[in-house]
Amino acid sequence: MPDYGLAFSDIYDRIKEYANIVNVVNASAKAKKAANDALRLIATLRNWEQLKREGTITPIASTQAYTLAINFDHIISCWYISNGIRVPIDVVDDERWNRDSDNDTDGNPLICRTTKVDGTLKIQFSPRPSASFVSLYTNIPYDYVIKPTELSAD
């Protein structure tokens, strides 16, 4: 088998050496966690195409929150198709959500955010999809990035 660089054991051994924790209790476990933390950060910053996916949500009238795809890391974009035209639903941060969301009104969603407020990773829409929106648009597609597979063995 060709050698494409360092094996995982080489990586976490180097982390232990760099951090000067070679003789510390549970040093290998700590170094493995650090390696996987770095992998996730690099994957997010590099925007690797092989980690991008598209998912869909089936809207339900007056329902604001929907569970996201398995292995979801973060959302890129969200939209619906109206007469062949992609209509974006702005992905916003918590600050803008708190300022602009309308949790009591149904209509065409204008903004969305990902949240874990109830312990489950979900996407929320504001305004909530209305019955007329649901009758016109059977799904809301979204682009997202999956979590990279964690390193575990050589």
Side-chain angles (χ1 to χ4, degrees), residues 92-101 113:
V92 300
D93 61 16
D94 288 342
E95 183 178 332
R96 181 163 169 215
W97 178 266
N98 291 333
R99 185 182 67 237
D100 296 345
S101 67
R113 74 162 178 175

Side-chain angles (χ1 to χ4, degrees), residues 6-13 31-33 35-36 151-154:
L6 299 172
F8 186 46
S9 59
D10 297 329
I11 294 170
Y12 68 79
D13 282 344
K32 289 175 183 179
K33 183 174 181 342
N36 280 304
L151 304 171
S152 62
D154 289 339

Side-chain angles (χ1 to χ4, degrees), residues 127-145:
R128 300 173 305 209
S130 65
S132 61
F133 178 88
V134 170
S135 70
L136 291 171
Y137 312 108
T138 57
N139 66 50
I140 300 173
Y142 63 100
D143 289 330
Y144 67 102
V145 175

Side-chain angles (χ1 to χ4, degrees), residues 47-56 68-79 86 140-149:
N47 201 18
W48 287 328
E49 289 295 321
Q50 62 268 34
L51 296 179
K52 292 181 180 178
R53 302 288 188 274
E54 183 178 304
T56 58
L68 290 163
I70 296 171
N71 210 16
F72 177 94
D73 186 58
H74 64 274
I75 193 164
I76 299 170
S77 61
C78 189
W79 68 94
R86 184 173 166 148
I140 300 173
Y142 63 100
D143 289 330
Y144 67 102
V145 175
I146 63 169
K147 295 177 184 173
T149 303

